[in-house]
Amino acid sequence: MVLGWFKKLKGSLSKSSEKISDGIKKALKSKKIDDETLEQLEELLISSDLGVECSSKITEELRKSKLIDPSSKKVKEIIKKKLNETLIPLEKQINLTNELHVVLIVGVNGVGKTATIGKLAHKFSKDGRKVGMVAADTFRAAAVEQLKIWSERTKSDFFCAKEFSDPAALAYQSILSAKEKKLDLLLIDTAGRLHNKIDLMNELTKIIRVMKKIDESMPNETMLVLDGNIGQNSIKQTEVFKQICDIDSLIVTKLDGSAKGGALVPIAEKLKIPISFIGTGESKEDLARFESDQFCSALLGID
Ligand SMILES: Nc1nc2c(ncn2[C@@H]2O[C@H](COP(=O)(O)OP(=O)(O)OP(=O)(O)O)[C@@H](O)[C@H]2O)c(=O)[nH]1
Ligand SMILES: [Mg+2]
C-alpha cells in the first residue's frame, strides 16, 4: 500500500526527477567535486525551481562534504538531507476525531481548490469517513456544478444554495446539517474570483464571522491552496489571505506535469507555514499527504 503510493508520487514527479538526475550525472562527469562541478550543480538546482537561497545552501553543503569519488547517489543523499532540514518541520498531519471537522478551503482562482476538495473527499472516504462538501462559491454556477460532480464521484454529501445567494448563510446551515448527519469532515469550497479583491476578502471575512456563531473554533481548519507553478506570486497571495484568516496549512498543487516539483521548496522556506497535502495531477487519487522524506526521494529520483 505505502509502496504503491510512493510509486505513484514518483511517477507524478518523474519529469522533475529526470531533469535533476540527468543534471547531476552530467555535472559529475569530471568525477570530482571542484568549483566547476559545484557551479553546475547550483545552476541545476536553481533551474529546478528550488530557489536561490536553498540551492546555495545545498551547494555549500556539497562543498563541505569533500566527497571523494562522488556518485549521483551520494550527491542526492546530501541534497535530500538538506531539503529535509527545511521541510520536515513543516509536515502537517490532519487527524480526524469523532467530532465533525470543518475545513475552509481558500485560494485565488484556478489554483485547484475545487479539484483538491474532490481529492480530499476521496482520500478520507476511502478511510471510512463520512464527507460533505459545501459549494460556497455561489458566484459562478459552473463552480457549483463542478463541485457537484466531485461529490457524485466520491459519494459525498453535497450542500449548495441558489446562484448569488449568501455563501456565509450556506456555510452556516451546512455545518448544522453536517452535525445532524454525523459527518466526519466538511469541506467548504470558496470563490477565487469576485468583482474585485476587496469583495473577495469581505466575503471570506463574513463566512468566517458567521461560522463562528456556531462555535468559536470554526472553521476547525483553514487550508490555503497554492499553485506550485507560480513561484513568487504564491508568497504575495499568502500575504493577502493571512490578513483576513489564520492559515493552518498549505496545499501545494500542480507539482506534476512540467519539471516544477521543486517549486514547493522555496514556497515552504519563505512562508514557513506547514504543508498538509500536495497535488500531483487532475484525478481523484492525485493528492498525497506531505511527507518530506518521501517527497524528496520522489523529487530526486531516489528509490
Ligand atoms: N496537473 C494538475 N492539475 C490540477 C491539479 N489540481 C487542480 N488541477 C487543475 O487545475 C484546474 C483548476 O482547478 P480548480 O479546482 O477548478 O481550481 P479552483 O481554485 O477551484 O478555481 P476557481 O473555482 O476558479 O477559483 C482544473 O483543470 C484542475 O483539474 C494538480 O495537482 N495537477
Ligand atoms: Mg473552484
PDB file of all heavy atoms in Angstrom, residues 59-86:
ATOM      1  N   THR A  59      24.637  23.704  -2.176  1.00  0.00           N
ATOM      2  CA  THR A  59      25.954  23.714  -2.822  1.00  0.00           C
ATOM      3  C   THR A  59      27.060  23.834  -1.762  1.00  0.00           C
ATOM      4  O   THR A  59      28.097  23.170  -1.840  1.00  0.00           O
ATOM      5  CB  THR A  59      26.042  24.891  -3.817  1.00  0.00           C
ATOM      6  OG1 THR A  59      24.866  24.889  -4.610  1.00  0.00           O
ATOM      7  CG2 THR A  59      27.250  24.764  -4.718  1.00  0.00           C
ATOM      8  N   GLU A  60      26.821  24.674  -0.775  1.00  0.00           N
ATOM      9  CA  GLU A  60      27.797  24.846   0.308  1.00  0.00           C
ATOM     10  C   GLU A  60      28.012  23.511   1.042  1.00  0.00           C
ATOM     11  O   GLU A  60      29.143  23.125   1.371  1.00  0.00           O
ATOM     12  CB  GLU A  60      27.253  25.920   1.273  1.00  0.00           C
ATOM     13  CG  GLU A  60      28.269  26.858   1.854  1.00  0.00           C
ATOM     14  CD  GLU A  60      29.541  27.009   1.025  1.00  0.00           C
ATOM     15  OE1 GLU A  60      29.491  27.498  -0.129  1.00  0.00           O
ATOM     16  OE2 GLU A  60      30.588  26.579   1.535  1.00  0.00           O
ATOM     17  N   GLU A  61      26.921  22.807   1.283  1.00  0.00           N
ATOM     18  CA  GLU A  61      26.989  21.513   1.963  1.00  0.00           C
ATOM     19  C   GLU A  61      27.793  20.508   1.129  1.00  0.00           C
ATOM     20  O   GLU A  61      28.598  19.739   1.657  1.00  0.00           O
ATOM     21  CB  GLU A  61      25.552  21.001   2.180  1.00  0.00           C
ATOM     22  CG  GLU A  61      25.419  19.785   3.064  1.00  0.00           C
ATOM     23  CD  GLU A  61      25.671  20.086   4.537  1.00  0.00           C
ATOM     24  OE1 GLU A  61      25.634  21.269   4.932  1.00  0.00           O
ATOM     25  OE2 GLU A  61      25.918  19.112   5.277  1.00  0.00           O
ATOM     26  N   LEU A  62      27.580  20.554  -0.166  1.00  0.00           N
ATOM     27  CA  LEU A  62      28.312  19.641  -1.055  1.00  0.00           C
ATOM     28  C   LEU A  62      29.802  19.983  -1.048  1.00  0.00           C
ATOM     29  O   LEU A  62      30.668  19.108  -1.042  1.00  0.00           O
ATOM     30  CB  LEU A  62      27.771  19.729  -2.485  1.00  0.00           C
ATOM     31  CG  LEU A  62      26.398  19.076  -2.716  1.00  0.00           C
ATOM     32  CD1 LEU A  62      25.787  19.531  -4.036  1.00  0.00           C
ATOM     33  CD2 LEU A  62      26.517  17.553  -2.703  1.00  0.00           C
ATOM     34  N   ARG A  63      30.094  21.276  -1.005  1.00  0.00           N
ATOM     35  CA  ARG A  63      31.496  21.712  -0.957  1.00  0.00           C
ATOM     36  C   ARG A  63      32.148  21.184   0.320  1.00  0.00           C
ATOM     37  O   ARG A  63      33.238  20.614   0.303  1.00  0.00           O
ATOM     38  CB  ARG A  63      31.573  23.244  -0.992  1.00  0.00           C
ATOM     39  CG  ARG A  63      32.999  23.806  -1.111  1.00  0.00           C
ATOM     40  CD  ARG A  63      33.024  25.315  -0.883  1.00  0.00           C
ATOM     41  NE  ARG A  63      32.169  26.051  -1.794  1.00  0.00           N
ATOM     42  CZ  ARG A  63      32.509  26.388  -3.041  1.00  0.00           C
ATOM     43  NH1 ARG A  63      33.686  26.082  -3.507  1.00  0.00           N
ATOM     44  NH2 ARG A  63      31.668  27.053  -3.802  1.00  0.00           N
ATOM     45  N   LYS A  64      31.455  21.352   1.435  1.00  0.00           N
ATOM     46  CA  LYS A  64      31.988  20.931   2.738  1.00  0.00           C
ATOM     47  C   LYS A  64      32.148  19.414   2.819  1.00  0.00           C
ATOM     48  O   LYS A  64      32.996  18.908   3.540  1.00  0.00           O
ATOM     49  CB  LYS A  64      31.052  21.396   3.868  1.00  0.00           C
ATOM     50  CG  LYS A  64      31.247  22.851   4.240  1.00  0.00           C
ATOM     51  CD  LYS A  64      30.626  23.177   5.580  1.00  0.00           C
ATOM     52  CE  LYS A  64      29.126  23.289   5.477  1.00  0.00           C
ATOM     53  NZ  LYS A  64      28.370  23.629   6.632  1.00  0.00           N
ATOM     54  N   SER A  65      31.308  18.708   2.080  1.00  0.00           N
ATOM     55  CA  SER A  65      31.303  17.244   2.196  1.00  0.00           C
ATOM     56  C   SER A  65      32.603  16.612   1.681  1.00  0.00           C
ATOM     57  O   SER A  65      32.950  15.497   2.058  1.00  0.00           O
ATOM     58  CB  SER A  65      30.122  16.658   1.420  1.00  0.00           C
ATOM     59  OG  SER A  65      30.384  16.761   0.041  1.00  0.00           O
ATOM     60  N   LYS A  66      33.322  17.352   0.835  1.00  0.00           N
ATOM     61  CA  LYS A  66      34.598  16.889   0.267  1.00  0.00           C
ATOM     62  C   LYS A  66      34.515  15.435  -0.191  1.00  0.00           C
ATOM     63  O   LYS A  66      35.369  14.598   0.133  1.00  0.00           O
ATOM     64  CB  LYS A  66      35.724  17.036   1.295  1.00  0.00           C
ATOM     65  CG  LYS A  66      36.018  18.474   1.691  1.00  0.00           C
ATOM     66  CD  LYS A  66      37.415  18.589   2.290  1.00  0.00           C
ATOM     67  CE  LYS A  66      37.851  20.015   2.456  1.00  0.00           C
ATOM     68  NZ  LYS A  66      37.191  20.771   3.507  1.00  0.00           N
ATOM     69  N   LEU A  67      33.464  15.125  -0.919  1.00  0.00           N
ATOM     70  CA  LEU A  67      33.263  13.756  -1.388  1.00  0.00           C
ATOM     71  C   LEU A  67      34.418  13.316  -2.278  1.00  0.00           C
ATOM     72  O   LEU A  67      34.770  14.005  -3.232  1.00  0.00           O
ATOM     73  CB  LEU A  67      31.967  13.664  -2.202  1.00  0.00           C
ATOM     74  CG  LEU A  67      30.641  13.575  -1.460  1.00  0.00           C
ATOM     75  CD1 LEU A  67      29.501  13.506  -2.463  1.00  0.00           C
ATOM     76  CD2 LEU A  67      30.610  12.359  -0.560  1.00  0.00           C
ATOM     77  N   ILE A  68      34.988  12.175  -1.951  1.00  0.00           N
ATOM     78  CA  ILE A  68      35.996  11.605  -2.839  1.00  0.00           C
ATOM     79  C   ILE A  68      35.238  10.570  -3.674  1.00  0.00           C
ATOM     80  O   ILE A  68      34.412   9.842  -3.131  1.00  0.00           O
ATOM     81  CB  ILE A  68      37.126  10.926  -2.030  1.00  0.00           C
ATOM     82  CG1 ILE A  68      37.684  11.955  -1.044  1.00  0.00           C
ATOM     83  CG2 ILE A  68      38.236  10.389  -2.933  1.00  0.00           C
ATOM     84  CD1 ILE A  68      38.391  11.340   0.127  1.00  0.00           C
ATOM     85  N   ASP A  69      35.503  10.545  -4.944  1.00  0.00           N
ATOM     86  CA  ASP A  69      34.792   9.636  -5.835  1.00  0.00           C
ATOM     87  C   ASP A  69      33.266   9.804  -5.694  1.00  0.00           C
ATOM     88  O   ASP A  69      32.556   8.887  -5.272  1.00  0.00           O
ATOM     89  CB  ASP A  69      35.205   8.178  -5.501  1.00  0.00           C
ATOM     90  CG  ASP A  69      34.602   7.215  -6.508  1.00  0.00           C
ATOM     91  OD1 ASP A  69      34.292   7.665  -7.632  1.00  0.00           O
ATOM     92  OD2 ASP A  69      34.415   6.041  -6.152  1.00  0.00           O
ATOM     93  N   PRO A  70      32.776  11.010  -5.986  1.00  0.00           N
ATOM     94  CA  PRO A  70      31.348  11.276  -5.777  1.00  0.00           C
ATOM     95  C   PRO A  70      30.460  10.526  -6.771  1.00  0.00           C
ATOM     96  O   PRO A  70      30.756  10.472  -7.950  1.00  0.00           O
ATOM     97  CB  PRO A  70      31.241  12.783  -6.023  1.00  0.00           C
ATOM     98  CG  PRO A  70      32.370  13.100  -6.945  1.00  0.00           C
ATOM     99  CD  PRO A  70      33.477  12.138  -6.621  1.00  0.00           C
ATOM    100  N   SER A  71      29.423   9.919  -6.262  1.00  0.00           N
ATOM    101  CA  SER A  71      28.451   9.261  -7.139  1.00  0.00           C
ATOM    102  C   SER A  71      27.155  10.070  -7.083  1.00  0.00           C
ATOM    103  O   SER A  71      26.933  10.844  -6.144  1.00  0.00           O
ATOM    104  CB  SER A  71      28.179   7.850  -6.628  1.00  0.00           C
ATOM    105  OG  SER A  71      27.591   7.929  -5.343  1.00  0.00           O
ATOM    106  N   SER A  72      26.288   9.859  -8.081  1.00  0.00           N
ATOM    107  CA  SER A  72      24.979  10.542  -8.084  1.00  0.00           C
ATOM    108  C   SER A  72      24.251  10.236  -6.790  1.00  0.00           C
ATOM    109  O   SER A  72      23.615  11.091  -6.187  1.00  0.00           O
ATOM    110  CB  SER A  72      24.117  10.031  -9.231  1.00  0.00           C
ATOM    111  OG  SER A  72      24.528  10.576 -10.440  1.00  0.00           O
ATOM    112  N   LYS A  73      24.373   8.961  -6.361  1.00  0.00           N
ATOM    113  CA  LYS A  73      23.643   8.528  -5.175  1.00  0.00           C
ATOM    114  C   LYS A  73      24.061   9.352  -3.943  1.00  0.00           C
ATOM    115  O   LYS A  73      23.224   9.836  -3.187  1.00  0.00           O
ATOM    116  CB  LYS A  73      23.944   7.041  -4.953  1.00  0.00           C
ATOM    117  CG  LYS A  73      23.045   6.397  -3.957  1.00  0.00           C
ATOM    118  CD  LYS A  73      23.159   4.884  -3.988  1.00  0.00           C
ATOM    119  CE  LYS A  73      22.369   4.314  -2.831  1.00  0.00           C
ATOM    120  NZ  LYS A  73      23.125   3.501  -1.934  1.00  0.00           N
ATOM    121  N   LYS A  74      25.397   9.514  -3.786  1.00  0.00           N
ATOM    122  CA  LYS A  74      25.877  10.248  -2.608  1.00  0.00           C
ATOM    123  C   LYS A  74      25.451  11.719  -2.673  1.00  0.00           C
ATOM    124  O   LYS A  74      25.055  12.303  -1.667  1.00  0.00           O
ATOM    125  CB  LYS A  74      27.400  10.154  -2.525  1.00  0.00           C
ATOM    126  CG  LYS A  74      27.888   8.814  -2.001  1.00  0.00           C
ATOM    127  CD  LYS A  74      29.399   8.860  -1.826  1.00  0.00           C
ATOM    128  CE  LYS A  74      29.965   7.455  -1.757  1.00  0.00           C
ATOM    129  NZ  LYS A  74      31.384   7.415  -2.111  1.00  0.00           N
ATOM    130  N   VAL A  75      25.561  12.297  -3.863  1.00  0.00           N
ATOM    131  CA  VAL A  75      25.181  13.712  -4.020  1.00  0.00           C
ATOM    132  C   VAL A  75      23.690  13.884  -3.713  1.00  0.00           C
ATOM    133  O   VAL A  75      23.295  14.799  -2.987  1.00  0.00           O
ATOM    134  CB  VAL A  75      25.518  14.201  -5.459  1.00  0.00           C
ATOM    135  CG1 VAL A  75      24.865  15.553  -5.742  1.00  0.00           C
ATOM    136  CG2 VAL A  75      27.032  14.296  -5.625  1.00  0.00           C
ATOM    137  N   LYS A  76      22.881  12.963  -4.229  1.00  0.00           N
ATOM    138  CA  LYS A  76      21.440  13.062  -3.974  1.00  0.00           C
ATOM    139  C   LYS A  76      21.133  12.946  -2.485  1.00  0.00           C
ATOM    140  O   LYS A  76      20.254  13.635  -1.966  1.00  0.00           O
ATOM    141  CB  LYS A  76      20.685  11.960  -4.728  1.00  0.00           C
ATOM    142  CG  LYS A  76      20.527  12.253  -6.212  1.00  0.00           C
ATOM    143  CD  LYS A  76      19.740  11.133  -6.859  1.00  0.00           C
ATOM    144  CE  LYS A  76      19.552  11.369  -8.338  1.00  0.00           C
ATOM    145  NZ  LYS A  76      18.772  10.298  -8.970  1.00  0.00           N
ATOM    146  N   GLU A  77      21.851  12.075  -1.790  1.00  0.00           N
ATOM    147  CA  GLU A  77      21.601  11.913  -0.351  1.00  0.00           C
ATOM    148  C   GLU A  77      21.898  13.211   0.398  1.00  0.00           C
ATOM    149  O   GLU A  77      21.186  13.582   1.332  1.00  0.00           O
ATOM    150  CB  GLU A  77      22.430  10.756   0.233  1.00  0.00           C
ATOM    151  CG  GLU A  77      21.900   9.362  -0.108  1.00  0.00           C
ATOM    152  CD  GLU A  77      20.460   9.103   0.363  1.00  0.00           C
ATOM    153  OE1 GLU A  77      20.012   9.735   1.333  1.00  0.00           O
ATOM    154  OE2 GLU A  77      19.770   8.270  -0.283  1.00  0.00           O
ATOM    155  N   ILE A  78      22.965  13.903  -0.028  1.00  0.00           N
ATOM    156  CA  ILE A  78      23.306  15.175   0.645  1.00  0.00           C
ATOM    157  C   ILE A  78      22.220  16.223   0.359  1.00  0.00           C
ATOM    158  O   ILE A  78      21.778  16.947   1.253  1.00  0.00           O
ATOM    159  CB  ILE A  78      24.706  15.658   0.196  1.00  0.00           C
ATOM    160  CG1 ILE A  78      25.767  14.725   0.796  1.00  0.00           C
ATOM    161  CG2 ILE A  78      24.954  17.108   0.622  1.00  0.00           C
ATOM    162  CD1 ILE A  78      27.172  14.945   0.297  1.00  0.00           C
ATOM    163  N   ILE A  79      21.765  16.265  -0.883  1.00  0.00           N
ATOM    164  CA  ILE A  79      20.702  17.222  -1.237  1.00  0.00           C
ATOM    165  C   ILE A  79      19.448  16.917  -0.413  1.00  0.00           C
ATOM    166  O   ILE A  79      18.824  17.806   0.170  1.00  0.00           O
ATOM    167  CB  ILE A  79      20.368  17.171  -2.753  1.00  0.00           C
ATOM    168  CG1 ILE A  79      21.593  17.532  -3.589  1.00  0.00           C
ATOM    169  CG2 ILE A  79      19.205  18.107  -3.077  1.00  0.00           C
ATOM    170  CD1 ILE A  79      21.410  17.385  -5.103  1.00  0.00           C
ATOM    171  N   LYS A  80      19.123  15.626  -0.347  1.00  0.00           N
ATOM    172  CA  LYS A  80      17.912  15.235   0.388  1.00  0.00           C
ATOM    173  C   LYS A  80      18.016  15.627   1.869  1.00  0.00           C
ATOM    174  O   LYS A  80      17.058  16.148   2.443  1.00  0.00           O
ATOM    175  CB  LYS A  80      17.697  13.726   0.252  1.00  0.00           C
ATOM    176  CG  LYS A  80      16.475  13.229   0.994  1.00  0.00           C
ATOM    177  CD  LYS A  80      16.119  11.832   0.562  1.00  0.00           C
ATOM    178  CE  LYS A  80      15.778  10.979   1.746  1.00  0.00           C
ATOM    179  NZ  LYS A  80      15.309   9.657   1.378  1.00  0.00           N
ATOM    180  N   LYS A  81      19.172  15.403   2.439  1.00  0.00           N
ATOM    181  CA  LYS A  81      19.352  15.717   3.864  1.00  0.00           C
ATOM    182  C   LYS A  81      19.093  17.206   4.100  1.00  0.00           C
ATOM    183  O   LYS A  81      18.406  17.591   5.044  1.00  0.00           O
ATOM    184  CB  LYS A  81      20.777  15.336   4.281  1.00  0.00           C
ATOM    185  CG  LYS A  81      21.039  15.491   5.740  1.00  0.00           C
ATOM    186  CD  LYS A  81      22.385  14.889   6.153  1.00  0.00           C
ATOM    187  CE  LYS A  81      22.904  15.569   7.384  1.00  0.00           C
ATOM    188  NZ  LYS A  81      23.857  16.654   7.162  1.00  0.00           N
ATOM    189  N   LYS A  82      19.637  18.009   3.214  1.00  0.00           N
ATOM    190  CA  LYS A  82      19.493  19.464   3.363  1.00  0.00           C
ATOM    191  C   LYS A  82      18.023  19.883   3.166  1.00  0.00           C
ATOM    192  O   LYS A  82      17.499  20.714   3.908  1.00  0.00           O
ATOM    193  CB  LYS A  82      20.395  20.132   2.316  1.00  0.00           C
ATOM    194  CG  LYS A  82      21.015  21.439   2.714  1.00  0.00           C
ATOM    195  CD  LYS A  82      21.952  21.330   3.877  1.00  0.00           C
ATOM    196  CE  LYS A  82      22.090  22.706   4.511  1.00  0.00           C
ATOM    197  NZ  LYS A  82      22.466  22.645   5.922  1.00  0.00           N
ATOM    198  N   LEU A  83      17.366  19.287   2.173  1.00  0.00           N
ATOM    199  CA  LEU A  83      15.950  19.625   1.929  1.00  0.00           C
ATOM    200  C   LEU A  83      15.091  19.210   3.118  1.00  0.00           C
ATOM    201  O   LEU A  83      14.209  19.947   3.556  1.00  0.00           O
ATOM    202  CB  LEU A  83      15.427  18.930   0.659  1.00  0.00           C
ATOM    203  CG  LEU A  83      15.977  19.417  -0.685  1.00  0.00           C
ATOM    204  CD1 LEU A  83      15.390  18.585  -1.829  1.00  0.00           C
ATOM    205  CD2 LEU A  83      15.653  20.885  -0.907  1.00  0.00           C
ATOM    206  N   ASN A  84      15.388  18.031   3.647  1.00  0.00           N
ATOM    207  CA  ASN A  84      14.623  17.541   4.805  1.00  0.00           C
ATOM    208  C   ASN A  84      14.735  18.487   6.006  1.00  0.00           C
ATOM    209  O   ASN A  84      13.778  18.654   6.759  1.00  0.00           O
ATOM    210  CB  ASN A  84      15.108  16.155   5.213  1.00  0.00           C
ATOM    211  CG  ASN A  84      14.267  15.050   4.570  1.00  0.00           C
ATOM    212  OD1 ASN A  84      13.102  15.266   4.240  1.00  0.00           O
ATOM    213  ND2 ASN A  84      14.861  13.887   4.389  1.00  0.00           N
ATOM    214  N   GLU A  85      15.915  19.087   6.172  1.00  0.00           N
ATOM    215  CA  GLU A  85      16.087  20.018   7.305  1.00  0.00           C
ATOM    216  C   GLU A  85      15.064  21.144   7.241  1.00  0.00           C
ATOM    217  O   GLU A  85      14.543  21.586   8.256  1.00  0.00           O
ATOM    218  CB  GLU A  85      17.494  20.642   7.261  1.00  0.00           C
ATOM    219  CG  GLU A  85      18.545  19.786   7.904  1.00  0.00           C
ATOM    220  CD  GLU A  85      19.941  20.364   7.722  1.00  0.00           C
ATOM    221  OE1 GLU A  85      20.085  21.585   7.495  1.00  0.00           O
ATOM    222  OE2 GLU A  85      20.907  19.567   7.778  1.00  0.00           O
ATOM    223  N   THR A  86      14.779  21.591   6.020  1.00  0.00           N
ATOM    224  CA  THR A  86      13.800  22.668   5.852  1.00  0.00           C
ATOM    225  C   THR A  86      12.377  22.131   5.926  1.00  0.00           C
ATOM    226  O   THR A  86      11.494  22.742   6.530  1.00  0.00           O
ATOM    227  CB  THR A  86      13.986  23.341   4.462  1.00  0.00           C
ATOM    228  OG1 THR A  86      15.319  23.776   4.356  1.00  0.00           O
ATOM    229  CG2 THR A  86      13.033  24.504   4.265  1.00  0.00           C
TER     230      THR A  86
END
